[in-house]
């Protein structure tokens, strides 16, 4: 873990809280290059009625076109699903920092098998916010992970 990881995860968490306050899934993400955030987003499946606007997808979309992602790190409050992991691999993002993987064990092994460095912070705030959402909105959570 780098010293800056906590700072950037705090911003991803702020975006997760924003989504939660809008009634959406509390998953936030930021994309960082050279110590600066170049994009941020949060899960917008509920708010925008989109099946694919997960936190990481919204973040990458908001970063806009990049000539390369090979010098970036993506931060996400929840372990990435296969769709988001595939996008990370597709764009050759070399490093993923995950807030928590207790509520959803994503695809850390897949990412590592593709040469991606994965750091799991086990952040209790990220886990608690996601757990709260799951308790309040179990059907929306099930829909998000395709288990309804």
């Amino acid at each position: 873990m780098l010293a800056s990881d906590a700072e950037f995860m705090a911003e991803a968490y702020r975006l997760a809280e924003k989504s939660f306050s809008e009634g959406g899934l509390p998953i936030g993400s930021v994309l960082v290059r050279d110590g600066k955030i170049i994009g941020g987003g949060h899960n917008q499946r509920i708010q925008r009625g989109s099946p694919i606007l997960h936190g990481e997808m919204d973040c990458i979309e908001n970063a806009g076109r990049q000539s390369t992602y090979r010098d970036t790190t993506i931060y996400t409050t929840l372990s990435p699903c296969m769709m988001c992991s595939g996008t990370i691999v597709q764009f050759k993002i070399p490093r993923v920092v995950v807030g928590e993987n207790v509520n959803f064990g994503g695809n850390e092994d897949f990412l590592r098998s593709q040469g991606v460095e994965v750091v799991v912070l086990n952040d209790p705030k990220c886990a608690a916010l996601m757990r709260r959402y799951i308790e309040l909105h179990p059907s929306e959570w099930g829909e998000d992970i395709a288990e309804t």
Side-chain angles (χ1 to χ4, degrees):
M1 181 171 138
L2 302 176
S4 58
D5 286 346
E7 171 190 345
F8 294 123
M9 186 55 66
E11 179 60 18
Y13 181 80
R14 185 190 69 75
L15 291 164
E17 287 183 308
K18 179 179 189 291
S19 186
F20 185 84
S21 73
E22 296 171 350
L25 286 103
I27 304 163
S29 181
V30 294
L31 187 65
V32 174
R33 172 183 287 127
D34 296 328
K36 293 182 176 66
I37 295 173
I38 61 170
H42 58 82
N43 189 297
Q44 302 239 15
R45 292 189 71 252
I46 303 297
Q47 299 92 315
R48 295 190 46 200
S50 170
I52 62 170
L53 270 182
H54 287 198
E56 301 90 337
M57 304 298 270
D58 189 45
C59 170
I60 292 168
E61 169 89 8
N62 290 332
R65 289 179 58 197
Q66 303 291 315
S67 60
T68 185
Y69 295 85
R70 294 174 191 234
D71 58 349
T72 64
T73 296
I74 193 163
Y75 293 79
T76 179
T77 57
L78 185 67
S79 187
C81 71
M82 184 52 81
M83 176 180 66
C84 296
S85 294
T87 301
I88 289 164
V89 169
Q90 174 70 30
F91 289 117
K92 297 179 176 37
I93 296 172
R95 186 168 185 264
V96 178
V97 180
V98 175
E100 66 104 348
N101 64 355
V102 174
N103 289 296
F104 179 76
N107 296 283
E108 293 93 350
D109 290 341
F110 166 74
L111 288 164
R112 288 183 184 113
S113 78
Q114 300 301 305
V116 177
E117 177 188 356
V118 179
V119 177
V120 180
L121 300 180
N122 295 313
D123 185 301
K125 285 175 40 178
C126 291
L129 183 61
M130 191 71 238
R131 187 171 34 258
R132 183 171 172 213
Y133 184 87
I134 292 168
E135 290 169 0
L136 292 171
H137 307 283
S139 63
E140 286 83 357
W141 170 242
E143 179 186 320
D144 193 66
I145 60 172
E147 290 190 4
T148 57

PDB file of all heavy atoms in Angstrom, residues 9 17 31 42 54 62 64 69 84 93 108 116 135:
ATOM      1  N   MET A   9      -8.603   6.530  -1.960  1.00  0.00           N
ATOM      2  CA  MET A   9      -9.752   5.710  -1.568  1.00  0.00           C
ATOM      3  C   MET A   9     -10.780   6.582  -0.848  1.00  0.00           C
ATOM      4  O   MET A   9     -11.985   6.352  -0.992  1.00  0.00           O
ATOM      5  CB  MET A   9      -9.321   4.539  -0.679  1.00  0.00           C
ATOM      6  CG  MET A   9     -10.461   3.587  -0.365  1.00  0.00           C
ATOM      7  SD  MET A   9     -11.329   2.893  -1.821  1.00  0.00           S
ATOM      8  CE  MET A   9     -10.036   1.892  -2.540  1.00  0.00           C
ATOM      9  N   GLU A  17     -20.674   7.365  -1.215  1.00  0.00           N
ATOM     10  CA  GLU A  17     -21.688   8.007  -0.369  1.00  0.00           C
ATOM     11  C   GLU A  17     -22.652   8.840  -1.205  1.00  0.00           C
ATOM     12  O   GLU A  17     -23.855   8.860  -0.931  1.00  0.00           O
ATOM     13  CB  GLU A  17     -21.027   8.904   0.677  1.00  0.00           C
ATOM     14  CG  GLU A  17     -20.344   8.161   1.793  1.00  0.00           C
ATOM     15  CD  GLU A  17     -19.782   9.109   2.829  1.00  0.00           C
ATOM     16  OE1 GLU A  17     -19.049  10.043   2.446  1.00  0.00           O
ATOM     17  OE2 GLU A  17     -20.064   8.915   4.018  1.00  0.00           O
ATOM     18  N   LEU A  31      -9.831   7.280 -11.014  1.00  0.00           N
ATOM     19  CA  LEU A  31      -8.692   6.896 -11.837  1.00  0.00           C
ATOM     20  C   LEU A  31      -7.611   7.940 -11.633  1.00  0.00           C
ATOM     21  O   LEU A  31      -7.884   9.148 -11.747  1.00  0.00           O
ATOM     22  CB  LEU A  31      -9.107   6.817 -13.309  1.00  0.00           C
ATOM     23  CG  LEU A  31      -8.071   6.263 -14.289  1.00  0.00           C
ATOM     24  CD1 LEU A  31      -7.760   4.789 -13.998  1.00  0.00           C
ATOM     25  CD2 LEU A  31      -8.561   6.428 -15.731  1.00  0.00           C
ATOM     26  N   HIS A  42     -19.368   6.906  -9.935  1.00  0.00           N
ATOM     27  CA  HIS A  42     -20.004   5.988  -9.004  1.00  0.00           C
ATOM     28  C   HIS A  42     -21.063   5.195  -9.739  1.00  0.00           C
ATOM     29  O   HIS A  42     -21.470   5.546 -10.847  1.00  0.00           O
ATOM     30  CB  HIS A  42     -20.601   6.727  -7.798  1.00  0.00           C
ATOM     31  CG  HIS A  42     -21.616   7.772  -8.146  1.00  0.00           C
ATOM     32  ND1 HIS A  42     -22.932   7.466  -8.410  1.00  0.00           N
ATOM     33  CD2 HIS A  42     -21.494   9.117  -8.275  1.00  0.00           C
ATOM     34  CE1 HIS A  42     -23.589   8.591  -8.678  1.00  0.00           C
ATOM     35  NE2 HIS A  42     -22.740   9.611  -8.606  1.00  0.00           N
ATOM     36  N   HIS A  54     -21.491   0.646 -13.776  1.00  0.00           N
ATOM     37  CA  HIS A  54     -20.914   0.350 -12.477  1.00  0.00           C
ATOM     38  C   HIS A  54     -19.949   1.482 -12.129  1.00  0.00           C
ATOM     39  O   HIS A  54     -19.606   2.308 -12.981  1.00  0.00           O
ATOM     40  CB  HIS A  54     -20.179  -0.980 -12.518  1.00  0.00           C
ATOM     41  CG  HIS A  54     -21.091  -2.161 -12.565  1.00  0.00           C
ATOM     42  ND1 HIS A  54     -20.662  -3.431 -12.254  1.00  0.00           N
ATOM     43  CD2 HIS A  54     -22.405  -2.278 -12.867  1.00  0.00           C
ATOM     44  CE1 HIS A  54     -21.664  -4.282 -12.358  1.00  0.00           C
ATOM     45  NE2 HIS A  54     -22.729  -3.614 -12.748  1.00  0.00           N
ATOM     46  N   ASN A  62     -15.943   8.962 -17.356  1.00  0.00           N
ATOM     47  CA  ASN A  62     -15.737  10.370 -16.986  1.00  0.00           C
ATOM     48  C   ASN A  62     -14.301  10.837 -17.166  1.00  0.00           C
ATOM     49  O   ASN A  62     -14.061  12.040 -17.303  1.00  0.00           O
ATOM     50  CB  ASN A  62     -16.208  10.611 -15.549  1.00  0.00           C
ATOM     51  CG  ASN A  62     -17.708  10.523 -15.431  1.00  0.00           C
ATOM     52  OD1 ASN A  62     -18.439  10.786 -16.379  1.00  0.00           O
ATOM     53  ND2 ASN A  62     -18.187  10.121 -14.265  1.00  0.00           N
ATOM     54  N   GLY A  64     -12.691  10.219 -19.770  1.00  0.00           N
ATOM     55  CA  GLY A  64     -12.587  10.523 -21.198  1.00  0.00           C
ATOM     56  C   GLY A  64     -11.523   9.681 -21.875  1.00  0.00           C
ATOM     57  O   GLY A  64     -10.860   8.853 -21.242  1.00  0.00           O
ATOM     58  N   TYR A  69      -3.530   3.937 -20.613  1.00  0.00           N
ATOM     59  CA  TYR A  69      -3.929   3.782 -19.208  1.00  0.00           C
ATOM     60  C   TYR A  69      -2.822   3.070 -18.438  1.00  0.00           C
ATOM     61  O   TYR A  69      -2.971   2.780 -17.267  1.00  0.00           O
ATOM     62  CB  TYR A  69      -5.225   2.972 -19.112  1.00  0.00           C
ATOM     63  CG  TYR A  69      -6.424   3.661 -19.720  1.00  0.00           C
ATOM     64  CD1 TYR A  69      -6.688   3.567 -21.087  1.00  0.00           C
ATOM     65  CD2 TYR A  69      -7.290   4.406 -18.938  1.00  0.00           C
ATOM     66  CE1 TYR A  69      -7.784   4.195 -21.645  1.00  0.00           C
ATOM     67  CE2 TYR A  69      -8.393   5.043 -19.486  1.00  0.00           C
ATOM     68  CZ  TYR A  69      -8.624   4.930 -20.843  1.00  0.00           C
ATOM     69  OH  TYR A  69      -9.717   5.569 -21.392  1.00  0.00           O
ATOM     70  N   CYS A  84     -16.193  -5.125 -15.064  1.00  0.00           N
ATOM     71  CA  CYS A  84     -15.246  -4.054 -14.744  1.00  0.00           C
ATOM     72  C   CYS A  84     -13.808  -4.570 -14.789  1.00  0.00           C
ATOM     73  O   CYS A  84     -12.907  -3.876 -15.260  1.00  0.00           O
ATOM     74  CB  CYS A  84     -15.582  -3.437 -13.390  1.00  0.00           C
ATOM     75  SG  CYS A  84     -17.201  -2.614 -13.393  1.00  0.00           S
ATOM     76  N   ILE A  93      -4.838  -1.233 -17.402  1.00  0.00           N
ATOM     77  CA  ILE A  93      -4.629  -0.500 -16.154  1.00  0.00           C
ATOM     78  C   ILE A  93      -3.814  -1.431 -15.253  1.00  0.00           C
ATOM     79  O   ILE A  93      -4.267  -2.536 -14.944  1.00  0.00           O
ATOM     80  CB  ILE A  93      -5.977  -0.106 -15.511  1.00  0.00           C
ATOM     81  CG1 ILE A  93      -6.734   0.872 -16.443  1.00  0.00           C
ATOM     82  CG2 ILE A  93      -5.762   0.510 -14.128  1.00  0.00           C
ATOM     83  CD1 ILE A  93      -8.153   1.182 -16.018  1.00  0.00           C
ATOM     84  N   GLU A 108     -10.221 -10.744  -8.116  1.00  0.00           N
ATOM     85  CA  GLU A 108      -8.825 -10.438  -7.832  1.00  0.00           C
ATOM     86  C   GLU A 108      -7.869 -11.438  -8.483  1.00  0.00           C
ATOM     87  O   GLU A 108      -6.852 -11.052  -9.063  1.00  0.00           O
ATOM     88  CB  GLU A 108      -8.562 -10.388  -6.319  1.00  0.00           C
ATOM     89  CG  GLU A 108      -9.241  -9.254  -5.611  1.00  0.00           C
ATOM     90  CD  GLU A 108     -10.611  -9.641  -5.044  1.00  0.00           C
ATOM     91  OE1 GLU A 108     -11.119 -10.741  -5.361  1.00  0.00           O
ATOM     92  OE2 GLU A 108     -11.171  -8.829  -4.299  1.00  0.00           O
ATOM     93  N   VAL A 116      -2.130  -7.715 -13.399  1.00  0.00           N
ATOM     94  CA  VAL A 116      -2.567  -6.511 -12.698  1.00  0.00           C
ATOM     95  C   VAL A 116      -2.206  -6.642 -11.217  1.00  0.00           C
ATOM     96  O   VAL A 116      -2.465  -7.674 -10.601  1.00  0.00           O
ATOM     97  CB  VAL A 116      -4.093  -6.303 -12.857  1.00  0.00           C
ATOM     98  CG1 VAL A 116      -4.573  -5.087 -12.072  1.00  0.00           C
ATOM     99  CG2 VAL A 116      -4.467  -6.171 -14.334  1.00  0.00           C
ATOM    100  N   GLU A 135     -28.617  -4.562   2.963  1.00  0.00           N
ATOM    101  CA  GLU A 135     -29.711  -4.809   3.914  1.00  0.00           C
ATOM    102  C   GLU A 135     -30.961  -4.014   3.556  1.00  0.00           C
ATOM    103  O   GLU A 135     -32.070  -4.517   3.683  1.00  0.00           O
ATOM    104  CB  GLU A 135     -29.256  -4.460   5.331  1.00  0.00           C
ATOM    105  CG  GLU A 135     -28.237  -5.435   5.885  1.00  0.00           C
ATOM    106  CD  GLU A 135     -27.579  -4.957   7.176  1.00  0.00           C
ATOM    107  OE1 GLU A 135     -27.903  -3.848   7.665  1.00  0.00           O
ATOM    108  OE2 GLU A 135     -26.726  -5.707   7.691  1.00  0.00           O
TER     109      GLU A 135
END
